Amino acid sequence: MNTGGNDTAPAWPPASRGWLAVLLLALASIVSQWDRTVINLMVGPIKEAFALDDTSFAALQGVAFGLFYITACIPIGRLADRYERRLIIGIALAFWSLFAMASGLARTYVQLFLTRIGVAVGEASLTPAGFSMLSDLFPPEKLGKPVGAFLMSSPVGQGLAFIGGGALLQWLTTSPVLAGGPLASLAPWQAAFLLIGAPGLLLVPAFLLYREPIRRGTGGASSLPAGEVVGIVRARSKALIPMLAGFAMVPVVSYAVGIWTPALFQRTWGWNPAQVGMGFGLIMLTFGTAGAYFGGWLSDRLASRGVLDAPLKAAMAGFVGCGFFGALAPLMPTAPLALMMLAPTVFLANVPYACAGTALQLIVPNRARAQVSAIYITITTLVGLTIGPMIVGFMTDHVFHDPKDIRYSMSIVIGFAAPALFVLLSLARRPYRELRAREQH
């Protein structure tokens, strides 16, 4: 257990050491996105292999992955506030990489469901432990950009997964590589899981060798009892409740767009996985990455001017147009026009991520940061994966009754999210400013 931190911590570590941690966390985030993104290009073959409807496929992401991801988040967050975060991330990285590979060996829907649970439990460690590490490596007024750089790796990973995964699936489908050898008994989508799960194992030694940062800030050196953490949350509830509810709208859009856009293009315009992967992947890689970094930059910029609620203000400003462009994108008459609308949608959808991570670290004592971050991830993921992919799939199956009408389901869900975030974060701004003022004094 690391008990080296206290309220009079030494000087901040060199920026190079902090940015090395950002790089390692970003690389882990990138590989974590691969298997959970490429599966969205496999809607057709997986549904065919196991005779599924859209609702059952969405359950692989919304229940198998989402429900168990959030179930594991808080216990792992508590571990991260007690023990060395580098070890927790390194062990979990090996765990989720092996389960990602095991997804390719599934012979039944139940087996695939179980492997997605294993991936979810492992990946639940990364964000809460990563946020906590970064808050001990960068001073508060410079935290937004590192958090943004860490989180911009998510759209990078998604973009690479769409581009590379689409090409990989197309190659595995059309080439004779699966005609013989050790992969001969596997379908293309199964072989793809094996290949994209392996790279994460290469990062494990880097985390095990990284030196754990000293804990600093309020909260002291010793771990906090669970009851005290609950008290910390309760004391900040006027800010945290509308914050968490508002930030939950962000993954509603991200999951709805990320999971169902491949199906939208395949069903509406007849695109194959390689075409979808290249077109949508480039948008994720460029606009998603830019949006995530812009959110951190804007938060730091406002904070440098003395704006106490800078992360909330930046998130609201960035997300305001997301619902407009996102609701229009699925309704476009052609695929190129849909991609044009998706570009600002993806940019604006990624702006609030760095803002949320930064906002939480600035109003919570050190030894509760990973746990409160885990609560944030639990709530936002639960809402995001329920309203995003599950409702889109349900509406397509049971309201519109035609797979091609997924465009209307997506438009309705995405169009609701942005104004909801704006209203909820507006309610959080005053109590958040009061907490920040108290922390500074």
Side-chain angles (χ1 to χ4, degrees), residues 245-421:
F247 283 125
M249 297 299 103
V250 183
V252 166
V253 172
S254 296
Y255 286 123
V257 171
I259 290 174
W260 288 117
T261 292
L264 170 71
F265 278 80
Q266 289 167 354
R267 296 174 187 180
T268 306
W269 297 293
W271 282 26
N272 63 41
Q275 290 173 304
V276 177
M278 182 59 68
F280 187 50
L282 286 174
I283 286 176
M284 292 297 301
L285 195 59
T286 54
F287 289 91
T289 301
Y293 187 77
F294 178 76
W297 175 86
L298 182 59
S299 177
D300 279 355
R301 179 83 170 179
L302 293 173
S304 69
R305 297 177 178 178
V307 179
L308 292 180
D309 60 347
L312 304 189
K313 197 170 183 178
M316 294 167 65
F319 204 61
V320 68
C322 182
F324 174 77
F325 291 107
L328 285 179
L331 304 180
M332 291 294 100
T334 66
L337 285 175
L339 287 176
M340 287 179 60
M341 291 294 101
L342 281 172
T345 300
V346 169
F347 179 89
L348 296 169
N350 279 278
V351 167
Y353 279 113
C355 302
T358 302
L360 290 171
Q361 308 310 302
L362 297 181
I363 59 170
V364 176
N366 191 303
R367 287 289 182 167
R369 285 174 182 163
Q371 292 169 84
V372 174
S373 296
I375 294 170
Y376 151 71
I377 295 166
T378 297
I379 293 173
T380 57
T381 304
L382 177 62
V383 174
L385 276 173
T386 300
I387 297 178
M390 292 296 290
I391 298 300
V392 169
F394 181 85
M395 289 176 66
T396 304
D397 286 337
H398 302 288
V399 176
F400 297 110
H401 304 290
D402 185 343
K404 289 186 177 181
D405 285 341
I406 192 172
R407 52 174 28 187
Y408 303 116
S409 304
M410 291 179 65
S411 180
I412 291 169
V413 171
I414 297 169
F416 164 82
L421 175 140

Side-chain angles (χ1 to χ4, degrees), residues 81-139:
D81 280 332
R82 293 171 60 87
Y83 302 102
E84 294 195 8
R85 295 154 288 189
R86 64 182 184 93
L87 293 177
I88 291 170
I89 295 173
I91 293 169
L93 178 54
F95 187 83
W96 89 59
S97 298
L98 291 171
F99 270 97
M101 296 175 69
S103 298
L105 303 177
R107 300 293 184 181
T108 68
Y109 177 71
V110 172
Q111 290 174 0
L112 182 58
F113 196 95
L114 293 174
T115 62
R116 305 315 297 162
I117 291 174
V119 171
V121 171
E123 292 185 4
S125 69
L126 183 60
T127 302
F131 281 169
S132 179
M133 283 184 69
L134 293 180
S135 69
D136 289 328
L137 290 166
F138 295 93

